[in-house]
């Protein structure tokens, strides 16, 4: 296309609020005519928002699957499987840090716009807990399966049992054993749960979480991530929210459910996340967990407004939309790490 025609097209589209990134993703050009494959009302959707740097490749895969026309939960599952399978990501799935006895134990959940959900907790030996959580939603009358029962169910569904403790994680665990001091480190290098929220092209909200949980936890410990209302919550009339950080603090405050309830009362995603982080701070400022406490939330509402907010500095999230593509944003926070 000539520079002049390109300039006129960009100018015309920008006056009606459509970016060139959106056009290249959604348009075909025939002669002088640009055809948008999505109607204008869908300009902002889909929107995918995921916690931490590992959200970027997860968003990429989920977006790809949505654009192929895959059902949204399938697309979310495919995205979450990327960090689950990556041994370099030490807080999710294969290669995750083990508990203090050297066992990798995994938590995950998934929820759709009808409020149907599936979850697994304290699952061992299965690389993709998100896929087992989805099977719980699809194939059982229950919401959550745990431990040995979750493993038996996974095997009955054809999942292969395998060793998830990589040599690197084993080495780190052996080093940790020298002092055996429990103080989870949750920051940008050593991040935590991947939580994902999707506002799809029909305007419906879905989400998921998956994690290996806090490093060096007690055997049997379950965090917030598989708990609907704590690590993840959504109400398709309002919006969705998901958490990262120290699960105990998120469970104590029913974090994600509260963010959604504040949005229902009219708060923006940013104000809702901030208010819950303030509440968590108030309840924990004199708590034994405070020295290492980090929590962060992401939220999106039905209008496509989104935000992230954390207690301490260093939380970021990946956001993918038509307007600006897939990128990282730093969350605002209450306080710097001391
Ligand atoms: N947020 C993950 C966990 O505490 O297990």
């Amino acid at each position: 296309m000539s520079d002049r025609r390109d300039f006129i097209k960009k100018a015309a589209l920008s006056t009606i609020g459509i970016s060139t990134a959106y056009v290249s993703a959604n348009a075909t050009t025939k002669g002088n005519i640009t055809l948008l494959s999505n109607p204008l009302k869908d300009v902002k959707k889909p929107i995918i928002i995921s916690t931490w740097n590992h959200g970027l490749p997860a968003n990429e895969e989920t977006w790809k699957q949505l654009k192929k026309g895959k059902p949204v939960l399938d697309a979310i599952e495919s995205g979450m499987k990327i960090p689950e399978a990556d041994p370099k990501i030490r807080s999710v799935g294969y290669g995750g840090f083990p508990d203090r006895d050297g066992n990798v134990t995994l938590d995950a959940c998934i929820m759709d716009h009808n409020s149907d959900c599936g979850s697994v907790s304290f699952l061992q030996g299965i690389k993709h807990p998100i896929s087992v959580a989805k099977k719980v939603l699809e194939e059982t009358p229950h919401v959550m399966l745990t431990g040995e029962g979750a493993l038996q169910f996974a095997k009955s569904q054809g999942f292969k049992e395998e060793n998830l403790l990589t040599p690197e994680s084993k080495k780190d665990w052996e080093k940790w054993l020298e002092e055996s001091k429990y103080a989870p480190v949750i920051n940008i290098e050593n991040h935590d749960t991947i939580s994902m929220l999707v506002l799809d092209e029909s305007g419906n909200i879905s989400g998921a979480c998956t994690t290996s949980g806090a490093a060096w936890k007690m055997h049997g410990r379950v965090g917030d991530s598989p708990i609907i209302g704590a690590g993840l919550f959504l109400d398709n009339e309002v919006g969705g929210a998901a958490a990262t950080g120290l699960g105990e603090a998120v469970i104590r405050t029913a974090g994600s459910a509260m963010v959604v309830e504040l949005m229902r009362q009219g708060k923006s995603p940013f104000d809702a996340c901030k208010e819950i982080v303030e509440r968590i701070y108030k309840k924990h400022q004199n708590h034994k967990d405070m020295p290492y406490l980090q929590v962060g939330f992401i939220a999106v509402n039905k209008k496509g407004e989104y935000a992230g907010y954390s207690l301490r500095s260093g939380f970021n999230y990946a956001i993918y939309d038509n307007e600006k593509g897939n990128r990282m944003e730093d969350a605002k926070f209450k306080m710097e790490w001391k």
Side-chain angles (χ1 to χ4, degrees):
M1 185 182 296
S2 77
D3 288 352
R4 185 178 140 71
R5 268 169 49 203
D6 196 28
F7 172 78
I8 292 168
K9 188 176 99 178
K10 280 182 191 161
L13 291 167
S14 74
T15 55
I16 55 171
I18 302 175
S19 71
T20 46
Y22 176 78
V23 172
S24 50
N26 294 283
T28 48
T29 301
K30 285 192 185 154
N32 282 336
I33 300 170
T34 298
L35 300 168
L36 288 174
S37 55
N38 288 336
L40 292 186
K41 66 182 167 56
D42 284 339
V43 160
K44 289 182 82 175
K45 299 176 221 144
I47 296 174
I48 308 172
I49 173 168
S50 300
T51 53
W52 304 107
N53 293 331
H54 49 206
L56 217 49
N59 280 4
E60 197 69 46
E61 178 63 23
T62 298
W63 184 273
K64 203 169 89 192
Q65 298 300 327
L66 287 175
K67 291 293 160 184
K68 278 186 189 163
K70 288 278 154 56
V72 64
L73 286 199
D74 292 4
I76 290 175
E77 178 191 11
S78 299
M80 301 300 254
K81 284 172 77 171
I82 304 285
E84 280 184 346
D86 186 342
K88 290 191 294 308
I89 296 173
R90 315 296 290 285
S91 54
V92 179
Y94 176 62
F97 287 125
D99 64 17
R100 56 190 68 177
D101 301 324
N103 309 290
V104 179
T105 76
L106 305 175
D107 298 334
C109 74
I110 192 160
M111 185 166 190
D112 73 11
H113 69 284
N114 293 316
S115 295
D116 278 327
C117 34
S119 160
V120 287
S121 61
F122 189 46
L123 176 64
Q124 297 177 68
I126 302 290
K127 194 186 255 174
H128 292 298
I130 193 66
S131 303
V132 187
K134 186 161 167 281
K135 286 281 182 203
V136 173
L137 185 162
E138 291 165 349
E139 306 293 339
T140 80
H142 305 304
V143 164
M144 181 184 259
L145 294 178
T146 196
E148 188 55 34
L151 177 61
Q152 277 171 20
F153 170 70
K155 288 203 282 194
S156 76
Q157 294 292 315
F159 290 87
K160 253 196 2 257
E161 207 176 344
E162 53 194 302
N163 176 24
L164 303 181
L165 186 67
T166 56
E168 290 73 23
S169 285
K170 187 162 183 281
K171 216 162 95 194
D172 288 336
W173 168 60
E174 283 163 353
K175 186 157 177 34
W176 177 81
L177 281 177
E178 289 166 16
E179 283 195 21
S180 301
K181 187 165 167 275
Y182 182 70
V185 180
I186 300 165
N187 61 26
I188 211 151
E189 293 88 36
N190 185 39
H191 33 69
D192 174 68
T193 316
I194 175 161
S195 302
M196 177 185 281
L197 299 168
V198 175
L199 176 68
D200 66 25
E201 289 192 39
S202 313
N204 290 320
I205 295 176
S206 316
C209 295
T210 180
T211 186
S212 52
W216 332 131
K217 60 195 174 185
M218 289 177 69
H219 190 55
R221 179 266 191 190
V222 170
D224 59 315
S225 305
I227 299 177
I228 302 296
L232 173 73
F233 191 69
L234 60 93
D235 183 325
N236 201 43
E237 290 172 17
V238 178
T244 182
L246 192 73
E248 283 74 5
V250 178
I251 295 170
R252 286 182 194 115
T253 49
S256 295
M258 290 303 150
V259 172
V260 172
E261 285 312 297
L262 289 174
M263 291 197 289
R264 190 193 304 280
Q265 290 165 25
K267 296 232 187 262
S268 67
F270 179 81
D271 288 345
C273 291
K274 186 166 184 288
E275 184 164 331
I276 293 309
V277 167
E278 293 285 353
R279 191 177 298 172
I280 290 175
Y281 173 68
K282 198 169 150 208
K283 299 211 177 290
H284 288 83
Q285 54 187 322
N286 300 315
H287 195 278
K288 62 178 169 39
D289 290 352
M290 193 61 206
Y292 52 80
L293 181 61
Q294 169 66 312
V295 288
F297 290 92
I298 53 172
V300 64
N301 67 15
K302 292 287 277 186
K303 287 188 270 185
E305 296 165 333
Y306 67 88
Y309 192 83
S310 58
L311 176 64
R312 281 172 157 137
S313 51
F315 172 45
N316 63 358
Y317 52 90
I319 172 90
Y320 200 155
D321 61 17
N322 278 313
E323 217 173 2
K324 295 191 191 147
N326 199 12
R327 75 273 179 190
M328 294 307 300
E329 291 187 3
D330 289 326
K332 294 211 165 42
F333 54 87
K334 179 171 174 61
M335 59 176 76
E336 294 278 359
W337 283 100
K338 281 210 199 90

